[in-house]
Amino acid sequence: MTMIRLDNIQKSFGSKDSLVNALQGVSLTIAEGELIAITGTSGSGKSTLLNIIGCLDYPTQGDYYLADKPVSHKSKTEMAKLRNEAIGFVMQDFALVDHYTVRQNVALPLMYVKDKSLRKERQQKVDHLLARLGIDNKAKEKSALLSGGQKQRVAIGRALINEPQLILADEPTGALDQNTSKEILNLLLGLHEEGKTVIIVTHDLEVAALCERIIQMEDGKIAGEIKGKPLKERAYGTF
């Protein structure tokens, strides 16, 4: 099944003399269960592309299909619902609520689930997810007091709580040391092995090489695509 299809996506900001063409005719297809890296220098359009794939922004022109369903013309309310139900985000700056506990941060997306029975069922999974990520001993601790690696694990837990099939990671190791980066990449590789579609935006070529496909962005366009390492050479360890 096709998870993502982008047809001639264009995105512009500003107007007239200040117009910036951030994306210029991007077409891309990603199958369900793929592990993809999007690379490029600052200003190449990779983050803008991720925002559109993540339903955080609309293309100026072109069509976007998620799981074969058109999403480019959905309302803001519909887009918000789709983000919460179908997409998990892992950000470089973690995007946690500092005064919330670890458990509250992971459970945050459940606030927007209208089905109360489904919400209750997933609340019961929070503790299991914390244990799986190795942060169950931090469940009642405020996120502001955690290390960078622990914060990123909380962010991954929050991304997983609604059981999305698409995980978007924007420079997930950018704020971490080398050893912690390997741990976080291990988690993302494990999610891919479970069948989730994982897209990693990164400027780190070593990180990109762990993916099946590497999409190279330049001046708002796809400049090329190369294959990553074979599966047996990918993992840093076991998730």
Side-chain angles (χ1 to χ4, degrees):
M1 180 177 126
T2 299
M3 176 60 71
I4 291 165
R5 194 178 96 218
L6 304 171
D7 292 337
N8 193 32
I9 295 294
Q10 301 182 46
K11 180 64 182 180
S12 300
F13 299 98
S15 59
K16 296 182 180 180
D17 294 340
S18 61
L19 185 68
V20 175
N21 296 313
L23 294 176
Q24 303 181 55
V26 173
S27 295
L28 178 65
T29 299
I30 298 173
E32 183 179 16
E34 279 199 280
L35 175 62
I36 303 291
I38 300 176
T39 67
T41 58
S42 178
S44 63
K46 59 186 188 296
S47 291
T48 302
L49 180 59
L50 195 74
N51 286 342
I52 289 175
I53 292 174
C55 299
L56 291 167
D57 203 356
Y58 293 88
T60 304
Q61 292 184 46
D63 295 302
Y64 171 30
Y65 297 85
L66 180 62
D68 293 326
K69 296 179 181 179
V71 299
S72 306
H73 306 293
K74 287 183 178 291
S75 68
K76 289 183 178 180
T77 300
E78 290 172 325
M79 291 281 265
K81 184 174 184 291
L82 184 61
R83 285 196 303 271
N84 193 57
E85 293 178 351
I87 305 170
F89 295 89
V90 180
M91 315 301 286
Q92 178 178 356
D93 62 358
F94 318 122
L96 302 179
V97 181
D98 285 345
H99 62 277
Y100 277 16
T101 65
V102 165
R103 197 175 197 284
Q104 288 173 323
N105 268 288
V106 170
L108 190 60
L110 298 178
M111 293 175 58
Y112 305 98
V113 176
K114 292 184 179 180
D115 186 332
K116 291 185 178 180
S117 62
L118 187 60
R119 188 189 309 172
K120 184 178 180 180
E121 175 188 329
R122 290 184 181 169
Q123 280 280 8
Q124 295 172 349
K125 293 182 180 179
V126 172
D127 290 333
H128 172 73
L129 194 52
L130 294 180
R132 179 186 179 192
L133 293 168
I135 48 174
D136 48 323
N137 63 328
K138 302 289 184 180
K140 297 181 180 180
E141 197 161 316
K142 297 290 177 61
S143 64
L145 303 176
L146 302 178
S147 68
Q150 290 167 340
K151 288 180 179 180
Q152 198 59 292
R153 286 172 182 267
V154 176
I156 291 174
R158 182 187 56 197
L160 294 177
I161 193 61
N162 275 339
E163 302 178 2
Q165 282 303 109
L166 176 60
I167 304 294
L168 304 180
D170 191 0
E171 300 285 4
T173 62
L176 306 175
D177 60 52
Q178 186 174 15
N179 288 334
T180 307
S181 294
K182 289 181 178 181
E183 293 176 3
I184 297 303
L185 287 172
N186 231 11
L187 293 174
L188 294 173
L189 290 168
L191 295 174
H192 161 62
E193 290 175 6
E194 291 175 6
K196 294 189 183 296
T197 307
V198 181
I199 301 176
I200 302 175
V201 164
T202 181
H203 68 277
D204 188 328
L205 297 181
E206 184 178 355
V207 171
L210 294 171
C211 299
E212 293 172 296
R213 295 163 59 198
I214 303 168
I215 309 299
Q216 299 169 310
M217 296 290 297
E218 186 177 320
D219 297 328
K221 301 176 182 178
I222 294 179
E225 178 179 328
I226 59 177
K227 290 185 178 181
K229 292 180 179 179
L231 179 60
K232 63 182 180 179
E233 296 178 16
R234 261 184 237 153
Y236 278 117
T238 303
F239 176 38

